[in-house]
Amino acid sequence: MTVTIMASFYLDSPNRARVREGLLRLAQRVLNEQNCLRFDIHTGTGDPGQFILFHRWESRRDWQHFLNSDALHDFQDLFEDGVTDLVIKELTPHFVPSSVPTVHAR
């Protein structure tokens, strides 16, 4: 079963450009890791200091393997200064069966 990891944090403005560049490099590196399916970087629309990362792995075991990788250690080095309110959540996807009618809001 796939697992999605959500990481949310705030970043002080003096370090924002450096960390953003590092995150883009990290995304490319993580996407090359075995069984990483997706890596998305989001920033707050009204708050450019808010970052939310989503990455999806083929299995929890693949995610656990990544936790011990050099890529993660490089990722941690990006956050030495200026990161606050770091939250990391492991999420399991739940799907609605296709036989359930979909209601669209107007």
Side-chain angles (χ1 to χ4, degrees):
M1 177 183 296
T2 64
V3 63
T4 300
I5 307 305
M6 186 275 309
S8 173
F9 60 91
Y10 288 87
L11 184 62
D12 290 338
S13 59
N15 300 313
R16 204 172 291 152
R18 180 180 66 84
V19 172
R20 182 176 286 131
E21 289 172 16
L23 285 172
L24 292 173
R25 284 192 308 274
L26 177 70
Q28 286 303 309
R29 187 170 176 185
V30 172
L31 286 168
N32 288 323
E33 291 282 323
Q34 183 176 351
N35 298 326
C36 179
L37 304 174
R38 187 173 189 108
F39 190 102
D40 296 323
I41 303 169
H42 300 263
T43 57
T45 301
D47 184 357
Q50 178 187 28
F51 287 79
I52 300 175
L53 313 178
F54 292 96
H55 38 116
R56 178 169 280 176
W57 296 87
E58 187 70 35
S59 70
R60 187 171 193 275
R61 190 171 116 200
D62 295 319
W63 158 241
Q64 295 295 316
H65 178 74
F66 172 70
L67 287 175
N68 296 314
S69 72
D70 290 337
L72 181 64
H73 296 293
D74 294 345
F75 178 69
Q76 291 169 331
D77 290 344
L78 285 173
F79 296 112
E80 288 181 355
D81 299 314
V83 170
T84 60
D85 301 324
L86 175 64
V87 175
I88 299 174
K89 301 258 184 188
E90 186 175 311
L91 308 168
T92 304
H94 292 273
F95 301 99
V96 176
S98 61
S99 61
V100 175
T102 304
V103 178
H104 298 283
R106 292 182 184 227

